[in-house]
């Protein structure tokens, strides 16, 4: 999905449902991933990877996320969260299914977003 805003993403989803009927699970997951990507970009996250057991978030030099929030996240659970260089956060995944992983990444993005200044 090449939508630039959440509204465009919703329009695309409605159009696909109108044309093809109920969306398969894989397409729903793609739309959810795109929604996460849009949220991340607004916060100044330039790369977000989530694999089978871990993930990594890379921040731009002008990220809107308060560094203190990242430090507090690491201090609250140093086994799960750790810095990876000066501009990245690594995290462990405790979910094995796609839906659980998407929810976990979304919760992390939401936690980081609470400390951000609006762009």
């Amino acid at each position: 999905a090449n939508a630039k805003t959440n509204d465009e993403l919703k329009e695309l989803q409605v159009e696909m449902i109108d044309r093809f009927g109920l969306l398969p699970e894989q397409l729903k997951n793609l739309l959810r991933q795109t929604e996460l990507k849009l949220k991340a970009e607004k916060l100044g996250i330039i790369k977000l990877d989530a694999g089978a057991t871990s993930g990594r978030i890379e921040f731009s030099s002008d990220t809107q996320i308060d560094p203190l929030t990242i430090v507090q996240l690491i201090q609250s659970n140093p086994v799960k969260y750790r810095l990876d260089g000066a501009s990245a956060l690594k995290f462990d995944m405790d979910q094995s299914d796609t839906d659980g992983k998407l929810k976990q990444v979304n919760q992390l993005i939401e936690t980081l977003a609470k400390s951000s200044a609006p762009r």
Side-chain angles (χ1 to χ4, degrees):
N2 199 21
K4 303 261 189 271
T5 66
N6 281 333
D7 289 340
E8 288 179 12
L9 188 61
K10 294 293 180 200
E11 286 177 30
L12 179 63
Q13 185 175 359
V14 168
E15 183 178 332
M16 287 191 300
I17 291 170
D18 284 347
R19 285 187 184 185
F20 306 112
L22 293 177
L23 303 177
E25 202 59 38
Q26 296 88 342
L27 188 52
K28 288 179 188 177
N29 288 337
L30 176 63
L31 292 169
R32 289 175 64 195
Q33 289 172 4
T34 303
E35 186 176 357
L36 282 174
K37 177 184 166 195
L38 292 172
K39 282 183 186 180
E41 286 175 351
K42 286 180 186 176
L43 296 173
I45 294 173
I46 55 176
K47 189 171 187 178
L48 192 153
D49 291 319
T53 60
S54 65
R56 184 174 184 276
I57 294 176
E58 189 173 334
F59 303 98
S60 68
S61 59
D62 67 341
T63 185
Q64 301 300 307
I65 298 167
D66 182 0
L68 184 59
T69 299
I70 298 168
V71 170
Q72 289 171 338
L73 197 61
I74 294 167
Q75 288 176 340
S76 72
N77 194 344
V79 174
K80 185 173 184 172
Y81 303 105
R82 59 208 164 279
L83 288 176
D84 185 26
S87 63
L89 174 71
K90 288 185 103 172
F91 58 95
D92 291 336
M93 300 289 292
D94 25 42
Q95 301 293 321
S96 58
D97 65 315
T98 303
D99 184 57
K101 288 179 184 185
L102 288 170
K103 285 180 181 176
Q104 184 177 350
V105 171
N106 188 54
Q107 287 174 337
L108 178 55
I109 297 291
E110 291 294 325
T111 298
L112 295 171
K114 289 176 186 174
S115 73
S116 69
R119 271 193 168 190

